[in-house]
C-alpha cells in the first residue's frame, strides 16, 4: 500500500499556495486594534499542514522531533526575540506571521516518514516549479500576464524574482539529488525546471545561492559515497547554465555596477534607480541604523519606519552623491533594507543577527550529518536560501519564508531518518 494518503496529500496540496504571490490570493483583513490581520490562502495552507502534523504526532508519537531539538530551540529563540523587539501591534502581527511559517519546519518530520512520502511531496514541488517556469517562459516571450516585465528581460512568474528563485532552487535541489543519488530519469524534470527558472528569475542572489547549494549538495553526497566525475559534471553544468542566464539577462545591471564601483567609467546621477547601487545604498542605511542600535537593534521592522530611517539619511546622501534621488528612502517610498542580514542587524541588533543565522547553521549541520536524499536536498536548499536572502528583506509570509522553513524541516526529517536507523531501502539506493 502506498503511504502518501491524507497527511502527505495535505502537505503536497499546500505547495501551490505557499509559492504564490500574495496579490494573487484571495484574503480577508481582520480588524485588530489599531491595525489589521491579513489572512490569505497561504495562511490556511500552513494551518492545515500544522494540524495534520499534530494529528500524526498524536497518533504515532513525537519522537521524530527529538533529533532536531537544537534546531527547534534556535528557531524558538529567534521568534521570541522578534516578539520582544516588536514595538507596536502592527509589528507584532508581522512577527506572528513570521512565526506561523516556522510550523512548516516542525511539521515535516512528523508527516514525512518514508521514502515514498518524501518523493510524493518532492514531486508536488517540482510540478509547481514546472508551472511557474512555464509561466515565466510565456512572460519572457512577451505574453503580458501577472505583472510581466518587458519581453527579453528577467521575469517574476507569479511569485516575484526572489521568490521565483527560491522555488526554482528547491526544485533544482530535488532534481539533482534524484539524478545523482537515485538515478531516476524523472528527476531531470526538476533539474530542467530549476535551472531554467533560476535563469529567468535573473536574481544574482539566487545565483550565489545556487553556487553555495551545489557545494553543500556535493558535500552531502560525499557522506554517502565517494564523488565521481558525473557528480561534478552535472552539478557544475547546472551552475554554469544558471550563471550564463543570469549574467545575460542582467548584463545592463552589471555594467551599471561596474560604473558604480568606478571600474568602468563613473556613474553619473540620473533619475532612474540602478539595482546594485540602490541595494548598496539601502544596505548602508541599514548599517547606519545598526550603528545607532548595535546590541538589540532598533526594533523588528523599524528599518522601514521614517522615525528610524530619517536620522541616517544625511549620511547616506553624503556617501552616495551620484545615486538617483528616487533611490533614497522617503516617507512616500520606504524601500526597506532589502538584505535580510543587514536588516536583522539593524532591527534586532547583534543578538538578533546571531539568532537569525543560528537555525541556518544548525540545519546545515543536520542535513550534512544525514545520508538520505532529503539531507542532500536540505543542504542545497538551506544554502540557496542563504544566498537569496542577500537580496531580500525580512518580509513575513512570502514564498522565500516557506522555502527556508521547508529546508529546515527537511534537515530535521533527514536527521530523524538517520536516528531511527531505518533500512536504506526506504530512502533509495
Amino acid at each position: 500500500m502506498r503511504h502518501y494518503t491524507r497527511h502527505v496529500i495535505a502537505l503536497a496540496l499546500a505547495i501551490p499556495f505557499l509559492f504564490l504571490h500574495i496579490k494573487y490570493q484571495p484574503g480577508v483583513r481582520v480588524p485588530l486594534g489599531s491595525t489589521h490581520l491579513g489572512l490569505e490562502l497561504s495562511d490556511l495552507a500552513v494551518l492545515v499542514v500544522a494540524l495534520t502534523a499534530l494529528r500524526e504526532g498524536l497518533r504515532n508519537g513525537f519522537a521524530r522531533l527529538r533529533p532536531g531539538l537544537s534546531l527547534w530551540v534556535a528557531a524558538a529563540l529567534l521568534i521570541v526575540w522578534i516578539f520582544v523587539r516588536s514595538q507596536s501591534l502592527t509589528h507584532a502581527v508581522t512577527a506572528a506571521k513570521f512565526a506561523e511559517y516556522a510550523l512548516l519546519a516542525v511539521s515535516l518530520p512528523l508527516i514525512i516518514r518514508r521514502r515514498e512520502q518524501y518523493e510524493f511531496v518532492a514531486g508536488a514541488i517540482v510540478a509547481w516549479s514546472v508551472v511557474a517556469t512555464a509561466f515565466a517562459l510565456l512572460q519572457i516571450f512577451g505574453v503580458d500576464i501577472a505583472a510581466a516585465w518587458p519581453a527579453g528581460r528577467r521575469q517574476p512568474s507569479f511569485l516575484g524574482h526572489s521568490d521565483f528563485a527560491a522555488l526554482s532552487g528547491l526544485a533544482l535541489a530535488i532534481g539533482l539529488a534524484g539524478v545523482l543519488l537515485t538515478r531516476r530519469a524523472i528527476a531531470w524534470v526538476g533539474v530542467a525546471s530549476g535551472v531554467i527558472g533560476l535563469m529567468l528569475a535573473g536574481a544574482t542572489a539566487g545565483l550565489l545561492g545556487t553556487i553555495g547549494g551545489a557545494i553543500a549538495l556535493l558535500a552531502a553526497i560525499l557522506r554517502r559515497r565517494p564523488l565521481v566525475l558525473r557528480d561534478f559534471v552535472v552539478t557544475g553544468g547546472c551552475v554554469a547554465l544558471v550563471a550564463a542566464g543570469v549574467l545575460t539577462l542582467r548584463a545592463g545591471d552589471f555594467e551599471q555596477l561596474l560604473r558604480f564601483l568606478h571600474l568602468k567609467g563613473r556613474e553619473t546621477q540620473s533619475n532612474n534607480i540602478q539595482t546594485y547601487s540602490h541595494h548598496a545604498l539601502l544596505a548602508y542605511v541599514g548599517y547606519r541604523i545598526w550603528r545607532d542600535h548595535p546590541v538589540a537593534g532598533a526594533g523588528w521592522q523599524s528599518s522601514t519606519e521614517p522615525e528610524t530611517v530619517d536620522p541616517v539619511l544625511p549620511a547616506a546622501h553624503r556617501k552616495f552623491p551620484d545615486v538617483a534621488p528616487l533611490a533614497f528612502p522617503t516617507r512616500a517610498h520606504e524601500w526597506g533594507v532589502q538584505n535580510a542580514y543587514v536588516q536583522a542587524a539593524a532591527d534586532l541588533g547583534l543578538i538578533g543577527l546571531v539568532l537569525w543565522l543560528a537555525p541556518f547553521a544548525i540545519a546545515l549541520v543536520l542535513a550534512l550529518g544525514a545520508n538520505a536524499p532529503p539531507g542532500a536536498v536540505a543542504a542545497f536548499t538551506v544554502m540557496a536560501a542563504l544566498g537569496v536572502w542577500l537580496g531580500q528583506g525580512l518580509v513575513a509570509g512570502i514564498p522565500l519564508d516557506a522555502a527556508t522553513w521547508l529546508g529546515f524541516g527537511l534537515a530535521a526529517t533527514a536527521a530523524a531518518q538517520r536516528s531511527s536507523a531505518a533500512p536504506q531501502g526506504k530512502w533509495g539506493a
Side-chain angles (χ1 to χ4, degrees), residues 393-418:
L394 293 171
V395 180
I398 60 175
L400 179 53
D401 288 323
T404 301
W405 290 108
L406 287 173
F408 294 167
L410 281 173
T413 300
Q417 183 273 335
R418 179 192 62 184

Side-chain angles (χ1 to χ4, degrees), residues 87-88 90-91 285 288-290 292-293 297-314 329-336 346-347:
Q87 299 176 327
S88 70
T90 300
H91 293 162
V285 169
R288 296 291 302 203
I289 293 172
W290 169 75
D292 292 337
H293 311 273
W300 171 248
Q301 298 293 313
S302 290
S303 57
T304 63
E305 297 287 349
E307 294 77 10
T308 305
V309 175
D310 288 353
V312 305
L313 286 181
T330 64
R331 291 176 184 266
H333 298 286
E334 282 293 341
W335 299 114
D347 289 356

Side-chain angles (χ1 to χ4, degrees), residues 23-348:
K23 66 183 177 184
Y24 305 124
Q25 299 183 39
V28 297
R29 294 294 180 267
V30 180
L32 188 63
S34 60
T35 185
H36 62 265
L37 175 63
L39 297 174
E40 283 75 34
L41 286 177
S42 54
D43 297 303
L44 178 61
V46 173
L47 179 61
V48 169
V49 169
L51 291 176
T52 301
L54 177 61
R55 182 174 180 270
E56 287 303 302
L58 293 173
R59 173 183 291 181
N60 299 310
F62 294 91
R64 286 178 61 82
L65 295 179
R66 191 173 299 116
L69 180 60
S70 58
L71 177 60
W72 313 136
V73 171
L77 289 174
L78 170 62
I79 291 169
V80 168
W81 184 245
I82 288 174
F83 274 106
V84 168
R85 299 301 296 143
S86 297
Q87 299 176 327
S88 70
L89 181 58
T90 300
H91 293 162
V93 168
T94 64
K97 179 159 285 196
F98 185 86
E100 169 198 319
Y101 271 58
L103 294 173
L104 293 171
V106 182
S107 298
L108 256 62
L110 298 175
I111 292 176
I112 300 176
R113 296 171 180 262
R114 300 177 61 87
R115 183 187 69 188
E116 54 264 41
Q117 294 172 334
Y118 157 76
E119 290 176 346
F120 186 75
V121 175
I125 294 172
V126 169
W128 190 242
S129 170
V130 169
V131 174
T133 299
F135 210 84
L137 281 169
L138 292 176
Q139 291 174 326
I140 201 170
F141 286 113
V143 180
D144 188 12
I145 49 177
W149 283 33
R153 297 185 61 188
R154 65 181 183 134
Q155 300 297 335
S157 188
F158 42 70
L159 293 113
H161 297 104
S162 293
D163 294 321
F164 184 24
L167 172 60
S168 299
L170 184 53
L172 177 57
I174 292 169
L176 281 174
V179 167
L180 299 179
L181 289 175
T182 62
R183 301 295 182 96
R184 297 193 177 186
I186 191 65
W188 283 105
V189 175
V191 172
S193 181
V195 167
I196 297 172
L198 283 160
M199 293 168 66
L200 295 176
T204 307
L207 170 59
L208 296 176
T210 301
I211 295 171
I215 295 172
L217 179 78
L218 291 175
I221 293 174
L222 184 60
R223 277 195 50 84
R224 188 183 183 89
R225 58 164 173 76
L227 294 175
V228 296
L229 179 62
R230 182 172 184 266
D231 300 322
F232 294 104
V233 170
V234 173
T235 306
C238 290
V239 172
L241 287 172
V242 172
V246 171
L247 293 175
T248 299
L249 289 176
R250 303 296 300 278
D253 292 327
F254 284 117
E255 182 178 359
Q256 289 296 333
L257 173 62
L258 293 176
R259 293 185 183 279
F260 172 66
L261 297 174
H262 302 162
L263 298 177
K264 185 178 181 180
R266 183 178 180 88
E267 184 179 47
T268 57
Q269 190 180 78
S270 75
N271 293 323
N272 298 320
I273 295 177
Q274 303 299 335
T275 300
Y276 295 108
S277 59
H278 191 212
H279 277 281
L281 162 64
L282 296 178
Y284 181 76
V285 169
Y287 162 71
R288 296 291 302 203
I289 293 172
W290 169 75
R291 275 185 39 171
D292 292 337
H293 311 273
V295 178
W300 171 248
Q301 298 293 313
S302 290
S303 57
T304 63
E305 297 287 349
E307 294 77 10
T308 305
V309 175
D310 288 353
V312 305
L313 286 181
H317 280 281
R318 291 192 298 270
K319 184 73 173 179
F320 297 90
D322 297 327
V323 174
L326 184 59
F328 288 84
T330 64
R331 291 176 184 266
H333 298 286
E334 282 293 341
W335 299 114
V337 175
Q338 298 187 17
N339 180 307
Y341 309 100
V342 177
Q343 185 178 349
D347 289 356
L348 305 172

Side-chain angles (χ1 to χ4, degrees), residues 415-427:
Q417 183 273 335
R418 179 192 62 184
S419 178
S420 65
Q424 285 299 309
K426 292 187 177 181
W427 291 93

